[in-house]
Amino acid sequence: MNRLVPLPLPVALLAIVILAPAVPRAQQAPSQVVAQTPPMGWNSWNYFATKVDDKGVRAAADEIVTSGMKDAGYIYVNIDDSWEGERDSNGVLHTNSKFPDMKALADYVHSKGLKIGIYSGPGTKTCGGYAASLEHEDQDAKMYAEWGIDYLKYDLCSFIPDVMEKQAPNDKAAEMRLMHEAYARMGKALKATGRPIVYSFCQYGWDAVWEWGPALGANSWRTTDDINPHWDRIYAILEQQEGLEEYAGPGRWNDPDMLEVGNGKLSLDENRAHFSMWAMLAAPLLAGNDLTNMKPEVKAVLTNRDVIALDQDPLGKQASRIYSEGEVEVWTRPLSGGALAVAVLNAGDNRYSTHPFHLDLAKLGLHGTQQGKDLWSGKAVELTGNMPLEIAKHEVLLVRIAAPK
Ligand code: GAL
């Protein structure tokens, strides 16, 4: 019997619908669900500034893989300012000679199992004076998607004089409205591409961006002016994060700026304290150092799995500063599964280990002896009420308590 009897058309169509294999997830329309935990990766600006080029980005991607950073969670390779060339008569923005073929570069980064990010701004020019996206938002977003871009940092800069101050002189509220609209425009343009692209606002925290940024599509927003590799600046930024914890959560993060771990003359304690506190803050962890010349001690800081797990905790709650005494501060962060992270930071220059700090567990809502893990020594630690702690200048004690009482 011939089994290949043709089916009547409607039956055949029904059979196709029923029998067709489910479309694999990767081929389905991409969703915009990104940054469910704070984005992790590397950005060119803090070390290379405008000296970044195609070769340097490829080298960074290679190094992220070989150093073990990729396995530790660093995924985004982000090109900051200075990739941009000129717009042609059709308004198409071209790369400059440092980046001969952005699509090929994106393909290379993707071939390593990583993602790639880029930079622009809502004004005519970026902070470095390169072409930005004003009146070309849709066109630029489309081009990013065609290249395969996964992350956009959008920096206010020349939008201030170009648009805000020009169109609404001496009217702060109107200036801010223009700024909101500009970020909304690019947010819509990115969404319209259908490609999941992390949208990172960089407007230095103006107009309490944490209140309105997420509604305009922000996955993260800078909360302050720029970081630099000096303890005083890192600490000043940390202090500005207090009170912002209620705005952070899966898909939307306060961004106290990219990491300076391994840059400048930061000591090991300072690198650890900076990294620890950014993890406590559920901050994006974007390394900003020269990965090809990374010292082993810097790599050890950046790849500390326990501290990364703290940053990436799925609950997505940001730490609060509970109390401070002199120059020592105590922050706590609630973690999934009822765990708790405690950071005791000696932020100042004057208190040395000869002047122990007494950790008051009751102030943290804890009762009696707590069993924890010191995330830098990797050892078990017992915290007892009012225990004296010897914490050196710019050092942090970072403890995870699995079952706080
Ligand atoms: C600044 C921004 C920096 C960097 C720089 C590039 O406004 O805060 O992170 O992107 O512009 O010109």
Side-chain angles (χ1 to χ4, degrees):
M1 189 183 129
N2 183 2
R3 290 178 176 268
L4 297 173
V5 183
L7 294 168
L9 193 61
V11 179
L13 285 176
L14 191 69
I16 289 168
V17 171
I18 293 172
L19 300 176
V23 182
R25 226 182 134 61
Q27 287 168 28
Q28 287 172 5
S31 93
Q32 289 291 341
V33 177
V34 289
Q36 290 304 288
T37 59
M40 289 180 66
W42 175 86
N43 173 293
S44 56
W45 186 256
N46 281 355
Y47 184 83
F48 292 99
T50 57
K51 291 201 178 68
V52 63
D53 60 10
D54 176 283
K55 207 167 143 244
V57 174
R58 285 172 192 252
D62 293 346
E63 210 54 47
I64 287 175
V65 175
T66 53
S67 65
M69 287 175 71
K70 179 186 167 203
D71 288 343
Y74 294 84
I75 292 298
Y76 291 96
V77 180
N78 291 353
I79 305 163
D80 208 279
D81 205 355
S82 87
W83 62 269
E84 311 88 338
E86 302 297 326
R87 281 191 198 278
D88 64 23
S89 52
N90 295 320
V92 177
L93 178 60
H94 293 268
T95 51
N96 61 38
S97 59
K98 295 189 298 158
F99 290 90
D101 186 341
M102 198 60 94
K103 171 89 176 74
L105 177 57
D107 288 348
Y108 181 77
V109 171
H110 289 149
S111 77
K112 303 248 143 190
L114 300 169
K115 294 180 186 288
I116 187 164
I118 210 160
Y119 168 98
S120 188
T124 54
K125 296 265 183 262
T126 64
C127 289
Y130 296 83
S133 296
L134 185 66
E135 288 169 8
H136 294 278
E137 294 85 357
D138 292 328
Q139 200 170 16
D140 286 0
K142 225 170 137 247
M143 181 175 71
Y144 302 150
E146 280 161 14
W147 283 342
I149 296 296
D150 306 295
Y151 188 119
L152 174 69
K153 171 174 170 184
Y154 208 48
D155 194 349
L156 189 62
C157 262
S158 82
F159 191 79
I160 306 165
D162 288 351
V163 176
M164 291 159 68
E165 291 172 356
K166 233 183 230 156
Q167 290 186 19
N170 308 318
D171 184 347
K172 277 280 165 234
E175 283 187 16
M176 295 304 152
R177 273 198 301 277
L178 288 165
M179 177 177 69
H180 294 208
E181 284 160 19
Y183 277 88
R185 257 196 311 279
M186 183 50 98
K188 268 196 198 130
L190 291 175
K191 223 180 197 150
T193 68
R195 186 176 174 83
I197 299 176
V198 173
Y199 188 23
S200 158
F201 287 23
C202 178
Q203 45 76 278
Y204 338 115
W206 283 20
D207 204 32
V209 58
W210 38 87
E211 289 177 359
W212 51 269
L216 304 189
N219 298 115
S220 69
W221 48 86
R222 279 270 299 276
T223 54
T224 67
D225 276 336
D226 290 16
I227 197 167
N228 60 49
H230 295 99
W231 176 255
D232 287 352
R233 182 65 195 139
I234 290 166
Y235 180 57
I237 289 180
L238 173 66
E239 295 306 275
Q240 286 177 265
Q241 308 312 308
E242 203 187 350
L244 300 187
E245 50 269 36
E246 64 179 282
Y247 301 100
R252 52 201 177 89
W253 308 101
N254 289 302
D255 174 10
D257 207 354
M258 304 171 294
L259 294 168
E260 291 285 11
V261 172
N263 284 342
K265 294 195 167 82
L266 293 174
S267 68
L268 178 58
D269 277 342
E270 289 169 342
N271 280 324
R272 284 181 173 176
H274 172 26
F275 195 63
S276 301
M277 295 316 294
W278 263 230
M280 288 292 282
L281 293 170
L285 295 181
L286 295 172
N289 56 324
D290 177 5
L291 299 179
T292 52
N293 290 301
M294 177 162 51
K295 287 191 192 144
E297 67 174 46
V298 168
K299 183 164 98 177
V301 172
L302 287 173
T303 56
N304 181 317
R305 300 289 181 114
D306 287 331
V307 183
I308 290 171
L310 170 58
D311 180 75
Q312 297 288 300
D313 185 81
L315 197 58
K317 288 235 181 277
Q318 178 176 325
S320 309
R321 192 170 70 168
I322 305 298
Y323 77 101
S324 63
E325 225 176 82
E327 295 166 305
V328 179
E329 344 197 306
V330 185
W331 295 65
T332 64
R333 176 174 175 185
L335 301 171
S336 52
L340 185 77
V342 179
V344 187
L345 174 70
N346 180 353
D349 287 339
N350 302 320
R351 189 186 285 261
Y352 292 89
S353 52
T354 46
H355 299 84
F357 169 76
H358 289 265
L359 176 63
D360 187 346
L361 292 180
K363 282 191 179 154
L364 312 184
L366 299 173
H367 308 286
T369 302
Q370 309 289 322
Q371 307 299 333
K373 181 177 181 186
D374 178 330
L375 301 189
W376 287 110
S377 74
K379 295 198 175 122
V381 64
E382 209 172 67
L383 298 182
T384 54
N386 252 325
M387 75 188 287
L389 292 172
E390 298 183 346
I391 300 176
K393 147 185 165 179
H394 306 170
E395 192 194 11
V396 71
L397 171 71
L398 187 63
V399 175
R400 181 179 190 279
I401 303 171
K405 297 178 280 182

